[in-house]
């Protein structure tokens, strides 16, 4: 029998084989798919229900949260109302009750009450839902005592058998003079809204202390739940009059009793569409098999007939004028010829994309590199210098975020045109190296000439760009590297120009020429890193302190800790020669820990009998991004038994902006440990107010550029005055840095600045001389 089938199969034509195999595969796939679908319907349905219940839980909790937000807003508006506060201060109970009624009815609050600062009920709105005053007072006291309503957050509570949402908002002037309580019942209307939204049944269960579980609200008929034992029920599958339902129990943790909500979804309702779908799929499968058989036969003939004609032509050795034929073979031949032309065009496009920037029409990084290689190769024999300028636009990301990426693209095109207009030599070229970074290749130009051109570019950028009705100020940071002075290989020269560019950007100086000190991988800096490690291990670092005085009293109240390096050969190394390098290499973390240990070790000796001296230490970007940094400081404080309140941590906005989320997490941990936080160089960044709102700061330190200029520049004086007023309004203290003379100190006193720091009081001195310097200042200031 099997041999006969094999023989017949071999005798079939190509059309029969294609149709037979196609139908067999279709039937196998359909039968297998039908079986898999049937076996997994119940599992998928239950999974779907579980997902719907999880989503329903989130929506239900969100509905409750929105109700609480509405109550909180209404309570906050009432607490802030001037007339209401006046009535509370005067004890006008009629006005208080009227305000409670009006505000409560406006936002749908069923219970509105006012308590005094001692949590005694003063007034309650006129409503049928108002509970006994004693019960309401007990509830409010328990909620406040438990901290559940701190900050005005919502809380579910049980009054009798009725669940309520409550918010409680303090009235401050500025101390707490009373509380406003608002309550919203979790009633049938709210449950019906959730059912209409999600098609999921909802039941709210209440259990008074020592009582039985009651169904307070339900979208199901009361008779449906009557036969279900709800005591101790934690969710799962239940049977309601022959109908299976999956449930999810959500605890609302109510005060004065237990409040839960039960979400219910019918399994049969979810399975019903699947059952209907099985019959639809079965019908479609039968129709599909018939249509597939017909379609496969027609398709097979459509494919094989041109092949048969081609076979005949080949057997007769006839020429195949493929491009002139109108049949499938001719179409195939013409398609191959078209493909040849398309491939050629694509190759040309690929070459274009490989060497040119599509947006600006400038050469891209690869072509710029090849141009640089050619320039260095041809000029090597002539000993003619070649220079590279790498340019990076400042705040381009901000432009994209505010004005959109389309505007940013137009800005890049305009910058490309402005750069091209600055080139004079025909062989010089401008390229877009990527993003907002451009490169300029300068023939027959040494480093000095490249710096002159970069200055001309900076002057050209001083004229704002007008694009699409918007005027944009453009500035850029540039790095210059020249061959042969700065590198003998093209990649090295380009890399070093980028190093100089990044250094110019971090120092905000516009343009920098490459020098080994900028490069952490240079031999000079590798030697410096070795020397720094040696200095830390062999006690060559010194702790210096600069006093901070109270402007009001003139007494020294704090000091800023600074590090100095006493090198055995170089002498006292200035901080600017090793601090930036330490930040670049990450060694600054070891320096910061050394400063903390040294300051903690000497902290007790710095304290005066009648004055607590606080030590301020600067934190770097590396410190803020180290998630273990707070733990290390805690270990230092514990080792030397020094309170964290004795230290102030100074941070700059630039230190935060590399990774704001990680930096903010670190600062929150440090604040929680008790360290005082200060924003250093305030007024020089781009988002100071945003960080003041988000960060747990206690102090602002006004940048010395404004303080030093306030004596002769009214603009600087206004900035200082505004900053002091802003800080005080936010509850922050203010430190003015850069006080160079008594006149500036007097001005700061008139502006009610809190603390001052500068050379007028004292330069930084060794920690061992700090107490003597404080005494000298005290004698000088009391003359």
């Amino acid at each position: 029998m099997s041999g006969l089938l094999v023989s017949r199969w071999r005798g079939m034509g190509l059309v029969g084989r294609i149709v037979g195999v196609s139908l067999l595969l279709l039937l196998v796939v359909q039968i297998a798919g039908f079986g898999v679908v049937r076996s997994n319907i119940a599992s998928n349905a239950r999974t779907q229900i579980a997902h719907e219940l999880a989503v329903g839980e989130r929506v239900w909790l969100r509905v409750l949260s929105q109700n609480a937000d509405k109550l909180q807003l209404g309570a906050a508006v009432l607490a802030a109302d001037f007339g209401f506060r006046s009535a509370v201060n005067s004890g006008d109970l009629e006005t208080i009750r009227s305000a409670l009624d009006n505000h409560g009815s406006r936002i749908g609050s069923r219970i509105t009450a006012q308590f005094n600062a001692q949590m005694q009920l003063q007034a309650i709105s006129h409503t049928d839902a108002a509970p006994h005053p004693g019960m309401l007072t007990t509830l409010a006291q328990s909620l406040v005592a438990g901290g559940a309503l701190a900050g005005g957050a919502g809380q579910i509570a049980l009054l009798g058998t009725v669940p309520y949402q409550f918010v409680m908002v303090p009235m401050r002037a500025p101390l707490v003079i009373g509380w406003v309580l608002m309550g919203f019942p979790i009633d049938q209307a709210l449950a019906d809204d959730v059912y209409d939204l999600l098609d999921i049944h909802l039941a709210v269960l209440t259990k008074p202390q020592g009582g039985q579980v009651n169904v307070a609200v339900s979208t199901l008929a009361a008779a449906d739940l009557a036969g279900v034992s709800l005591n101790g029920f934690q969710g799962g599958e239940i049977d309601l009059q022959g109908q299976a339902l999956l449930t999810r129990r959500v605890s609302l943790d109510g005060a004065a009793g237990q409040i839960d909500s039960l979400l219910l979804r019918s399994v049969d309702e979810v399975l019903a569409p699947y059952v209907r779908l099985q019959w639809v799929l079965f019908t479609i499968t039968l129709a599909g098999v018939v249509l597939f058989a017909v379609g496969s036969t027609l398709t097979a003939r459509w494919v094989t007939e041109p092949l048969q004609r081609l076979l005949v032509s080949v057997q007769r050795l006839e020429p195949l004028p493929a491009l002139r034929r109108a049949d499938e073979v001719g179409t195939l031949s013409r398609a191959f010829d078209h493909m040849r032309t398309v491939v050629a065009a694509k190759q040309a496009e690929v070459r274009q994309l490989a060497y040119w920037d599509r947006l600006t029409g400038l050469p891209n990084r690869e072509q710029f590199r090849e141009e640089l290689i050619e320039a260095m190769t041809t000029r090597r024999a002539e000993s003619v210098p070649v220079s590279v300028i790498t340019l990076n636009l400042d705040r381009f990301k901000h432009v994209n975020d505010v004005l959109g990426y389309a505007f940013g693209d137009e800005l890049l095109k305009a910058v490309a045109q402005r750069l091209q207009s600055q080139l004079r030599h025909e062989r010089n070229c401008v390229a877009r190296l990527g993003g907002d970074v451009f490169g300029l290749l300068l023939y027959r130009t040494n480093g000095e000439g490249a710096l002159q051109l970069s200055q001309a570019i900076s002057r050209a950028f001083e004229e704002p760009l007008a694009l699409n009705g918007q005027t944009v100020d453009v500035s850029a940071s540039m790095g210059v590297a020249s061959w042969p002075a700065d590198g003998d290989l093209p990649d090295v020269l380009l890399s070093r120009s980028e190093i100089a560019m990044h250094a110019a950007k971090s120092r905000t100086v516009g343009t920098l020429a490459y020098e080994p000190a900028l490069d952490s991988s240079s031999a000079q800096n590798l030697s410096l890193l070795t020397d720094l490690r040696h200095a830390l291990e062999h006690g060559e670092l010194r702790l210096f302190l600069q006093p901070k005085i109270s402007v009001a009293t003139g007494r020294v109240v704090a000091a800023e800790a600074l590090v100095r390096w006493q090198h055995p050969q170089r002498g006292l190394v200035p901080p600017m020669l090793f601090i930036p390098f330490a930040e670049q290499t990450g060694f600054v973390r070891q320096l910061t820990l050394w400063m903390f240990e040294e300051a903690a070790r000497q902290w007790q000796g710095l304290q005066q009998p009648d004055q607590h001296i606080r030590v301020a230490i600067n934190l770097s970007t590396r410190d803020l991004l180290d998630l273990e940094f707070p733990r290390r400081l805690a270990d230092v404080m514990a080792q030397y038994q020094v309170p964290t309140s004795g230290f102030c941590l100074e941070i700059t906005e630039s230190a935060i902006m590399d990774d704001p989320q990680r930096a903010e997490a670190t600062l929150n941990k440090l604040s929680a440990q008790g360290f005082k936080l200060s924003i250093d160089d305030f007024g020089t960044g781009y988002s100071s107010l945003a960080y003041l709102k988000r960060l747990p700061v206690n102090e602002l330190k006004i940048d010395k550029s404004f303080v030093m200029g306030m004596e002769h520049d009214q603009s600087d004086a206004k900035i200082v005055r505004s900053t002091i007023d802003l800080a005080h309004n936010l509850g922050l203290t203010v430190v003015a840095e850069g006080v160079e003379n008594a006149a500036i100190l007097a001005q700061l006193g008139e502006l009610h600045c809190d603390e001052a720091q500068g050379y007028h009081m004292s330069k930084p001195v060794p920690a061992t001389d700090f107490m003597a310097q404080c005494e000298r200042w005290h004698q000088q200031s009391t003359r």
Side-chain angles (χ1 to χ4, degrees):
M1 185 66 178
S2 61
L4 180 60
L5 291 176
V6 172
S7 177
R8 289 185 176 180
W9 174 258
R10 290 178 178 176
M12 293 177 63
L14 183 58
V15 174
R17 292 184 182 183
I18 292 176
V19 173
V21 171
S22 299
L23 285 176
L24 179 61
L25 292 177
L26 176 62
L27 289 174
V28 170
V29 171
Q30 291 293 336
I31 292 172
F34 191 80
V36 171
V37 169
R38 185 178 179 84
S39 64
N40 286 291
I41 279 179
S43 175
N44 291 340
R46 293 177 184 275
T47 302
Q48 176 185 337
I49 292 174
H51 175 71
E52 291 178 0
L53 291 177
V55 172
E57 177 184 350
R58 293 195 294 270
V59 173
W60 168 234
L61 294 179
R62 180 58 181 168
V63 168
L64 294 178
S65 176
Q66 289 176 344
N67 285 339
D69 292 343
K70 182 175 70 173
L71 284 175
Q72 180 183 346
L73 179 60
V77 170
L78 178 58
D81 184 78
F82 178 77
F84 181 70
R85 294 159 67 94
S86 299
V88 170
N89 287 328
S90 64
D92 187 351
L93 296 181
E94 288 302 322
T95 302
I96 294 174
R97 291 192 184 97
S98 176
L100 293 176
D101 289 338
N102 291 336
H103 282 76
S105 61
R106 189 175 304 140
I107 66 171
S109 172
R110 295 282 296 277
I111 297 176
T112 309
Q114 189 266 327
F115 294 82
N116 61 16
Q118 289 74 36
M119 293 306 302
Q120 296 173 340
L121 179 64
Q122 299 296 299
I124 187 169
S125 59
H126 296 90
T127 173
D128 295 337
H132 188 275
M135 181 186 301
L136 191 61
T137 300
T138 302
L139 173 64
Q141 289 175 347
S142 66
L143 294 176
V144 172
L149 298 176
Q155 172 67 32
I156 308 297
L158 188 62
L159 291 181
T161 60
V162 180
Y164 276 82
Q165 277 185 283
F166 285 101
V167 295
M168 197 169 209
V169 175
M171 301 173 59
R172 303 181 184 274
L175 300 178
V176 175
I177 63 172
W179 297 81
V180 174
L181 175 70
M182 287 192 174
F184 187 92
I186 302 176
D187 55 11
Q188 186 65 40
L190 185 61
D192 290 340
D193 289 342
V194 174
Y195 177 74
D196 293 339
L197 178 64
L198 301 173
D199 197 24
I200 294 177
H201 288 287
L202 172 67
V204 179
L205 311 178
T206 62
K207 182 181 180 182
Q209 293 180 354
Q212 296 294 319
V213 175
N214 299 312
V215 180
V217 176
S218 174
T219 57
L220 290 169
D224 291 340
L225 290 174
V228 180
S229 176
L230 298 176
N231 287 313
F233 180 68
Q234 298 299 319
E237 184 170 344
I238 61 175
D239 190 324
L240 291 183
Q241 299 184 0
Q243 185 180 14
L245 286 88
L246 290 183
T247 65
R248 186 182 185 95
R249 188 157 184 164
V250 182
S251 175
L252 302 181
D253 292 331
Q258 179 181 351
I259 304 176
D260 294 323
S261 53
L262 196 63
L263 301 173
L264 307 96
R265 187 72 165 98
S266 172
V267 178
D268 295 338
E269 290 179 2
V270 177
L271 284 175
Y274 289 101
V275 174
R276 292 192 296 269
L277 181 61
Q278 290 181 56
W279 287 106
V280 172
L281 288 177
F282 180 75
T283 303
I284 292 175
T285 299
L286 291 179
V289 169
V290 175
L291 292 176
F292 194 80
V294 176
S296 298
T297 302
L298 296 176
T299 303
R301 290 179 178 176
W302 181 78
V303 172
T304 56
E305 285 179 0
L307 296 178
Q308 292 174 351
R309 291 196 297 269
L310 178 61
L311 178 60
V312 171
S313 298
V314 172
Q315 289 174 344
R316 295 177 181 177
L317 301 178
E318 294 177 352
L320 301 175
L323 296 178
R324 295 194 298 271
R325 291 180 57 169
D327 59 9
E328 288 81 356
V329 176
T331 302
L332 184 61
S333 299
R334 286 190 294 273
F336 271 106
D337 185 67
H338 176 68
M339 184 178 65
R340 177 187 59 80
T341 58
V342 170
V343 168
K346 291 294 183 182
Q347 288 178 340
E349 184 179 357
V350 168
R351 285 193 294 270
Q352 176 74 13
L353 294 175
Y355 291 99
W356 296 89
D357 177 59
R358 176 174 293 182
L359 176 65
T360 62
L362 296 176
N364 63 8
R365 188 182 190 92
E366 184 61 29
Q367 184 174 347
F368 185 81
R369 179 177 178 274
E370 293 190 2
E371 292 278 353
L372 179 58
I373 293 174
E374 181 183 355
M376 294 178 64
T377 302
T378 57
R379 301 304 173 189
R380 194 183 303 272
E382 304 174 12
S383 298
V384 177
V386 174
S387 294
V388 172
I389 299 178
T390 305
L391 179 147
N392 180 222
L393 298 180
D394 297 331
R395 300 183 299 280
F396 180 71
K397 182 180 182 299
H398 181 69
V399 172
N400 273 341
D401 293 341
V402 175
L403 299 178
Y405 288 94
F407 187 90
D409 290 344
E410 294 300 320
L411 177 61
L412 291 175
K413 294 178 185 178
V415 168
Q417 295 174 0
R418 188 161 291 189
L419 290 176
Q420 286 178 309
S421 67
Q422 296 298 314
L423 300 183
R424 300 293 182 261
H425 195 284
E426 62 180 10
R427 293 295 306 278
N428 293 347
C429 77
V430 180
R432 184 186 178 200
L433 304 184
D436 58 342
V437 179
F438 294 84
L440 290 85
L441 175 59
L442 309 177
Y443 288 79
R444 298 181 179 275
T445 305
N446 57 16
E448 182 178 354
L451 287 174
Q452 293 176 355
L453 177 60
S454 67
Q455 293 170 359
I457 293 173
S458 296
R459 290 192 297 270
F461 280 168
E462 291 176 359
E463 180 182 352
L465 289 172
L467 299 172
N468 301 331
Q470 296 280 351
T471 301
V472 181
D473 291 320
V474 179
S475 62
S477 302
M478 289 172 276
V480 175
S482 301
W483 174 81
D486 297 326
D488 200 42
L489 296 174
D491 290 335
V492 171
L493 193 66
L494 183 58
S495 172
R496 289 179 174 175
S497 71
E498 291 175 340
I499 289 172
M501 176 197 72
H502 291 303
K505 196 174 192 69
S506 63
R507 299 182 186 181
T508 63
V509 295
T511 305
L512 275 180
Y514 173 80
E515 58 184 26
L518 302 176
D519 190 355
S520 61
S521 63
S522 67
Q524 174 182 342
N525 281 342
L526 291 176
S527 174
L528 180 60
L529 181 59
T530 302
D531 289 348
L532 265 178
R533 288 198 179 98
H534 182 274
L536 188 63
E537 295 170 357
H538 293 80
E540 296 177 6
L541 301 180
R542 302 289 183 267
L543 182 68
F544 276 56
L545 298 173
Q546 186 175 22
K548 297 181 182 180
I549 68 163
S550 168
V551 177
T553 65
R555 294 186 60 84
V556 176
V557 294
E560 180 175 3
L562 305 166
V563 63
R564 297 292 185 265
W565 183 6
Q566 187 66 46
H567 196 279
Q569 284 81 36
R570 305 179 187 177
L572 195 63
V573 180
M576 286 304 297
L577 295 184
F578 68 91
I579 293 296
F581 169 76
E583 291 179 345
Q584 182 181 2
T585 59
F587 192 75
V588 69
R589 288 181 294 184
Q590 285 88 329
L591 291 181
T592 302
L593 286 177
W594 178 87
M595 291 182 66
F596 265 100
E597 290 189 4
E598 189 66 16
R601 186 181 64 84
Q602 301 190 36
W603 187 84
Q604 295 290 351
L606 301 177
Q607 306 307 305
Q608 300 178 6
D610 57 345
Q611 182 62 54
H612 175 79
I613 302 297
R614 184 180 63 256
V615 179
I617 297 179
N618 288 280
L619 302 186
S620 69
T621 302
R622 304 273 187 166
D623 297 323
L624 294 181
L625 298 184
D626 183 3
L627 297 180
E628 293 297 314
F629 182 66
R631 182 188 58 78
R632 294 189 179 98
L633 291 195
D635 293 341
V636 173
M637 298 296 102
Q639 178 182 355
Y640 293 99
Q641 297 183 349
V642 175
T644 55
S645 59
F647 286 84
C648 177
L649 310 182
E650 296 186 357
I651 53 176
T652 61
E653 293 177 27
S654 60
I656 301 171
M657 294 183 69
D658 282 353
D659 192 340
Q661 292 184 342
R662 288 180 62 185
E664 186 175 349
T666 301
L667 291 175
N668 285 327
K669 291 181 181 179
L670 294 172
S671 176
Q673 291 177 359
F675 289 102
K676 184 176 183 180
L677 300 181
S678 174
I679 296 290
D680 198 7
D681 299 336
F682 182 80
T684 60
Y686 299 101
S687 54
S688 302
L689 294 179
Y691 283 112
L692 279 182
K693 178 181 178 182
R694 291 173 51 186
L695 298 179
V697 297
N698 312 100
E699 176 184 277
L700 296 186
K701 194 171 185 181
I702 305 177
D703 185 68
K704 63 182 179 182
S705 61
F706 302 119
V707 178
M708 295 172 66
M710 65 181 293
E711 185 180 6
H712 304 291
D713 191 326
Q714 288 299 316
S715 296
D716 287 340
K718 291 178 181 178
I719 292 174
V720 172
R721 180 186 299 109
S722 300
T723 303
I724 293 174
D725 292 341
L726 170 66
H728 286 167
N729 288 333
L730 294 175
L732 308 178
T733 58
V734 184
V735 178
E737 185 179 20
V739 179
E740 302 295 316
N741 54 54
I744 295 177
L745 183 60
Q747 278 186 276
L748 293 173
E750 295 173 359
L751 298 177
H752 304 291
C753 182
D754 298 292
E755 298 177 12
Q757 174 184 353
Y759 280 15
H760 174 63
M761 284 74 75
S762 173
K763 295 181 179 181
V765 298
T768 53
D769 299 337
F770 179 75
M771 297 302 295
Q773 180 62 28
C774 291
E775 182 62 28
R776 284 193 293 269
W777 163 253
H778 180 67
Q779 294 175 359
Q780 175 185 342
S781 61
T782 54
R783 290 174 184 172

